[in-house]
Amino acid sequence: MTGTRVVDLPTGAGAVLVVGGTGKTGRRVADRLTALGYQVRVGSRAGAVPFDWHDENTWEAALEGVSAAYLTYYPDLAFPGAVEAVGAFSRLAAERGVRRLVLLSGRGEEAAEAGEKAVMESGAAWTVVRCAWFDQNFDESFFLEPVLAGELALPVGDAVEPFVDVEDIADVAVAALTEAGHAGEVYELTGPRLLSFADVARELSSAIGREVRFEAVSLEAYRAVLEEAGLPGDFAELFAVILDGRNASLGDGVRRALGREPRDFADYARAAAATGVWNT
């Protein structure tokens, strides 16, 4: 433990702000908090109390009556402007009496670590949830269409990644927001084994019951694919950086935070396939 131990956050202590509360991790965090009896404020531009990282005029109202906050930055904490925005918001949150900040960060992203430092220096009790690639990118995000088409074409070779299930991320984030013992912790969340994208294609093929192939493509080709899909082309450079082998190790964050083992990619793939999301 590197920070101050904080008492449990009672359900009546104030609202919990979930920034990015409609995203992959945020909506799961919001649902879990609601089920536990917490008052949840979803931080999004379309929220009942609008929140926009790029409009500081929305921040004060979003923080009114808030005792804890889960912070995610779109499209990624390593993107230009993220550190400045997250730092300014975290300082304001601490000034307005927010007691806990839980930050979603990217594993192996040096630029994201500057965002982590900004939160650590805010004056509020903090926890960093540092994550690898999400399993759910293959059924809820930019990899869904390639899986449906039967081909994962990415600017990576044989690099292996410790893919992590967002259900684990949400469980850890909620624990850090509501329970004692998580202040000052950096939790590196991964799955239980390392997988290449070729391995992922084989796991998906097995779960779905039809072939999903993996093909390595150039960075330029992949940038064009992203832009055609309406996603930032800069994602291609980020993929190339973090898929250089720097994350080819397992973290113990799930075990340390929750006292259990992380979910395996194969279990995620079978559960997702059972929903019919990959039926063609």
Side-chain angles (χ1 to χ4, degrees):
M1 178 67 64
T2 57
T4 303
R5 186 172 292 270
V6 180
V7 298
D8 291 349
L9 188 74
T11 55
V16 180
L17 174 65
V18 180
V19 175
T22 59
K24 282 189 289 297
T25 67
R27 62 183 170 83
R28 289 173 166 87
V29 169
D31 287 347
R32 283 162 167 75
L33 290 169
T34 299
L36 290 171
Y38 287 89
Q39 178 187 349
V40 175
R41 179 171 300 156
V42 173
S44 71
R45 283 177 290 183
V49 180
F51 175 88
D52 187 341
W53 278 118
H54 304 291
D55 183 0
E56 294 187 20
N57 294 321
T58 66
W59 296 0
E60 288 271 5
L63 287 169
E64 183 68 30
V66 167
S67 58
Y70 176 63
L71 307 180
T72 67
Y73 188 92
Y74 182 84
D76 190 89
L77 190 58
F79 270 52
V83 172
E84 293 78 10
V86 169
F89 181 77
S90 298
R91 291 189 295 273
L92 179 64
E95 291 169 5
R96 295 298 180 269
V98 175
R99 295 162 56 188
R100 302 189 189 192
L101 297 175
V102 177
L103 175 70
L104 178 69
S105 185
R107 192 169 187 249
E109 299 176 18
E110 286 90 349
E113 291 181 15
E116 296 174 8
K117 187 171 185 289
V119 173
M120 293 173 183
E121 295 175 347
S122 68
W126 56 267
T127 306
V128 171
V129 181
R130 191 184 285 165
C131 299
W133 282 73
F134 298 171
D135 294 352
Q136 280 74 8
N137 285 340
F138 295 96
D139 73 300
E140 297 182 17
S141 192
F142 39 82
F143 292 145
L144 173 58
E145 289 302 321
V147 174
L148 288 171
E151 183 174 83
L152 292 172
L154 292 162
V156 298
D158 298 327
V160 292
E161 285 291 310
F163 295 87
V164 62
D165 195 305
V166 297
E167 302 292 349
D168 286 341
I169 299 171
D171 285 346
V172 171
V174 169
L177 287 165
T178 64
E179 299 174 1
H182 302 285
E185 294 286 359
V186 176
Y187 290 126
E188 293 219 354
L189 306 189
T190 73
R193 58 190 172 122
L194 298 171
L195 298 169
S196 68
F197 278 87
D199 294 330
V200 165
R202 284 190 288 271
E203 293 284 2
L204 292 172
S205 298
S206 176
I208 299 169
R210 60 175 172 79
E211 185 181 12
V212 177
R213 300 177 304 280
F214 166 71
E215 179 184 357
V217 298
S218 70
L219 192 63
E220 293 73 20
Y222 192 61
R223 186 185 299 111
V225 170
L226 290 173
E227 291 173 348
E228 184 177 348
L231 294 167
D234 289 346
F235 267 139
E237 282 74 15
L238 181 60
F239 289 176
V241 168
I242 64 176
L243 289 170
D244 63 359
R246 67 183 63 193
N247 286 330
S249 62
L250 301 179
D252 63 355
V254 173
R255 188 182 312 111
R256 287 200 297 120
L258 304 176
R260 65 164 174 80
E261 295 303 308
R263 295 175 174 88
D264 188 72
F265 187 91
D267 295 327
Y268 148 75
R270 284 191 293 269
T275 71
V277 67
W278 293 316
N279 291 349
T280 58

